[in-house]
Amino acid sequence: MPGQVEITASLAEGLAASTTIELIAMRPERIIATARPARIRADGQDRSEILVIVEDGLGQRLEDEPLTLRVSGAARLTHERVRSNADGEARSWLS
């Protein structure tokens, strides 16, 4: 998980030293896209939630990654440009 980590080394006599390391997220390596439900009526009223998850090479979800969504066919998206949130997720709805 990205963030700061403190490492402390100590002796039995109480002498200690510590250092801090910052763990940073890697670049995006994988995008997972799902539609829920996977089937809707073609009436312009039914909607399907499109969920996109962005992960780095270690499977950690990445925040604030810009995504562009495109649709083929006559369907419409509520948002074509989205960003992943703190959970590495971005959403739009298809109708």
Side-chain angles (χ1 to χ4, degrees):
M1 205 49 124
Q4 289 197 342
V5 176
E6 184 174 358
I7 296 96
T8 303
S10 58
L11 296 171
E13 297 83 32
L15 188 59
S18 63
T19 187
T20 302
I21 297 174
E22 184 171 357
L23 302 175
I24 58 172
M26 297 170 51
R27 64 185 177 88
E29 294 278 336
R30 181 173 139 161
I31 298 174
I32 303 162
T34 59
R36 293 183 197 148
R39 286 178 78 154
I40 60 174
R41 290 185 303 265
D43 61 2
Q45 301 299 313
D46 252 4
R47 291 184 0 151
S48 178
E49 178 186 39
I50 308 304
L51 172 65
V52 182
I53 298 171
V54 182
E55 295 180 340
D56 67 13
L58 299 175
Q60 296 185 36
R61 294 181 176 195
L62 300 178
E63 179 180 4
D64 203 33
E65 292 294 330
L67 296 151
T68 301
L69 307 176
R70 290 190 178 91
V71 176
S72 63
R76 290 186 344 251
L77 288 167
T78 56
H79 302 91
E80 292 180 352
R81 296 186 185 273
V82 293
R83 283 193 175 270
S84 56
N85 62 19
D87 296 323
E89 300 176 353
R91 287 182 171 76
S92 186
W93 285 263
L94 179 112
S95 59

